[in-house]
Amino acid sequence: MAKLLPCAAVSLLLALLSSSEPVASSSVRVRRYDSIFSFGDSFADTGNNPVVFRRCSVSDAATRPPYGSTFFGRPTGRNCDGRLIIDFLAERLGLPLVPPFLAHNGSFRRGANFAVGAATALDAGVFHHGEPPGASQFPLNTSLDVQLQWFESLKPSLCATAKECKQFFRTSLFFVGEFGFNDYSFLLLRKSIQQVRSIVPDVIRTISMAIERLIKHGATSLVVPGMYPFGCSPLFLVKSDDGDPARYDSRAGCLNDMNELATRHNSLLLESLEKIRAEHPGVEVTYADFFSPVKEMVESPSKFGPKSSRKVTELGVAGFEGDVLTVCCGGPGRYHCNVEVLVQRSSCDHMQGSICSFVLGWHPLDGGGIPIRRR
């Protein structure tokens, strides 16, 4: 049985939401929020994925084990074996887990999740233009703009007037992202890394316009995650294994060109967020750094791991040693990541590897293993 990566350190994100200055995680006084509204992809999707995939007659791995096998004990539509970062955030804020908009029949007054696995920032038509008949359906029509339309369709049930909406959303937290990973992943199927670099400004512009749109609706507190180093993703490491050592980071073993693409995305996103802050001084727009902590985890795994004696006893380790890129359920091959197995596997009969941090090649385990940092 593999030993699983422990939960993310969400307290740092809570600190940045409660104060403009750094705060020790042990003494965080969390700002009060009454609801959370989330947009994004599989890193934030709490259950919309199965609904969308079923409508499109597409098989959905998130409805089968190992997804959901730890905390919930069953698949929930989350692309994770347990909880996502947004789940930990809601728990710490004293709010219910954020319900998926497409799969929840109850009230959304405490929040709604519009994120969908494999969603892109750019409209789906951008990726399908010029494709031959019979091409892949992905990406599906679940872009950031589509998610915003879902939010706008829900809004009248939450507040009726501009004054009511201002009051309601003043105590709401908006999570916008992560976006970009799927945009670049789909584009890289038919474009070079140099060609995809030229698309980054379009992705950033789309994210920025969405933030402006939410601010007009009354949002006053937004968290915008950057990209994690997807050059360290086991799936990309296996697919891009061309034997050229110059492509790899000598310290972490990650793909330099892909991580440089993520760095460019994050740099342009930070610049855009600074402009938005300047234009809306009464609005809190927080950038959540996913890149640096994940890169540090890959480079120095022994710094991360169970801290309490209880967790050390349960997992049998005090920290991670060696490679943390091994996939928990991905078949034979390098990093235990085999593309054919990932596509065809209907369940995970056994967890492979001694220490692992990803399920099926690209989805992190319970909590994401990402100690979020403010920038």
Side-chain angles (χ1 to χ4, degrees):
M1 175 65 70
K3 298 177 179 67
L4 307 183
L5 191 68
C7 305
V10 182
S11 58
L12 289 177
L13 178 57
L14 295 171
L16 64 88
L17 292 174
S18 62
S19 171
S20 59
E21 298 297 329
V23 180
S25 61
S26 60
S27 60
V28 171
R29 182 177 64 82
V30 180
R31 170 179 166 176
R32 177 180 174 180
Y33 292 99
D34 295 324
S35 55
I36 298 176
F37 295 92
S38 173
F39 306 81
D41 58 13
S42 57
F43 288 95
D45 181 5
T46 56
N48 291 312
N49 210 74
V51 178
V52 173
F53 279 36
R54 186 167 56 250
R55 288 176 181 174
C56 298
S57 301
V58 176
S59 176
D60 183 9
T63 61
R64 305 185 296 267
Y67 292 105
S69 59
T70 58
F71 181 80
F72 298 101
R74 59 179 176 81
T76 63
R78 289 169 172 79
N79 284 273
C80 180
D81 73 321
R83 291 161 292 181
L84 304 169
I85 289 174
I86 194 168
D87 294 318
F88 285 92
L89 185 62
E91 288 174 352
R92 183 63 190 277
L93 292 173
L95 295 172
L97 298 185
V98 187
F101 175 67
L102 300 179
H104 180 67
N105 294 322
S107 171
F108 289 105
R109 293 196 65 80
R110 304 304 299 277
N113 197 330
F114 306 95
V116 182
T120 55
L122 301 176
D123 289 340
V126 171
F127 305 89
H128 295 299
H129 180 70
E131 284 187 339
S136 171
Q137 294 186 63
F138 287 94
L140 304 176
N141 190 30
T142 57
S143 68
L144 177 51
D145 181 68
V146 170
Q147 294 179 29
L148 285 169
Q149 290 177 41
W150 293 340
F151 167 74
E152 289 166 348
S153 72
L154 175 66
K155 183 183 172 184
S157 69
L158 303 175
C159 52
T161 66
K163 183 178 180 180
E164 284 183 10
C165 291
K166 182 178 180 180
Q167 183 71 22
F168 184 87
F169 293 126
R170 187 173 63 184
T171 57
S172 299
L173 175 62
F174 287 79
F175 223 84
V176 188
E178 182 267 354
F179 282 104
F181 176 87
N182 291 311
D183 295 81
Y184 307 135
S185 298
F186 287 122
L187 289 169
L188 284 168
L189 293 175
R190 53 182 178 147
K191 294 180 181 290
S192 68
I193 192 80
Q194 291 77 17
Q195 290 174 315
V196 173
R197 280 178 60 88
S198 67
I199 308 295
V200 176
D202 294 331
V203 173
I204 300 304
R205 189 178 305 111
T206 301
I207 296 172
S208 301
M209 290 172 63
I211 295 169
E212 294 277 7
R213 197 161 150 186
L214 288 170
I215 291 173
K216 288 182 179 179
H217 282 299
T220 61
S221 184
L222 304 97
V223 175
V224 186
M227 281 186 64
Y228 84 98
F230 77 136
C232 299
S233 167
L235 185 65
F236 278 105
L237 285 167
V238 170
K239 291 177 67 176
S240 304
D241 187 9
D242 58 5
D244 181 5
R247 292 194 64 195
Y248 298 89
D249 175 358
S250 60
R251 183 176 178 184
C254 302
L255 288 160
N256 286 321
D257 50 4
M258 290 194 177
N259 278 351
E260 288 168 0
L261 178 64
T263 299
R264 172 171 166 77
H265 171 101
N266 293 340
S267 177
L268 293 181
L269 180 59
L270 275 165
E271 290 179 10
S272 180
L273 295 184
E274 286 295 336
K275 293 178 182 177
I276 293 173
R277 291 187 188 111
E279 293 171 1
H280 304 278
V283 176
E284 297 176 358
V285 182
T286 300
Y287 171 81
D289 179 9
F290 283 7
F291 188 98
S292 301
V294 173
K295 190 73 183 307
E296 184 180 2
M297 182 189 73
V298 174
E299 293 177 344
S300 305
S302 61
K303 293 181 180 180
F304 299 82
K307 300 301 181 183
S308 69
S309 58
R310 179 182 67 82
K311 287 185 176 180
V312 170
T313 301
E314 289 177 356
L315 297 181
V317 289
F320 294 104
E321 301 294 340
D323 175 28
V324 297
L325 296 178
T326 300
V327 175
C328 297
C329 182
R334 190 182 179 197
Y335 302 113
H336 292 151
C337 185
N338 183 292
V339 176
E340 291 184 4
V341 171
L342 297 179
V343 173
Q344 297 175 5
R345 173 163 282 170
S346 61
S347 65
C348 193
D349 299 327
H350 62 283
M351 301 288 270
Q352 305 186 41
S354 58
I355 299 291
C356 53
S357 55
F358 292 89
V359 180
L360 297 179
W362 59 90
H363 292 129
L365 293 172
D366 189 65
I370 303 174
I372 306 169
R373 292 176 181 168
R374 178 191 187 177
R375 183 76 65 82

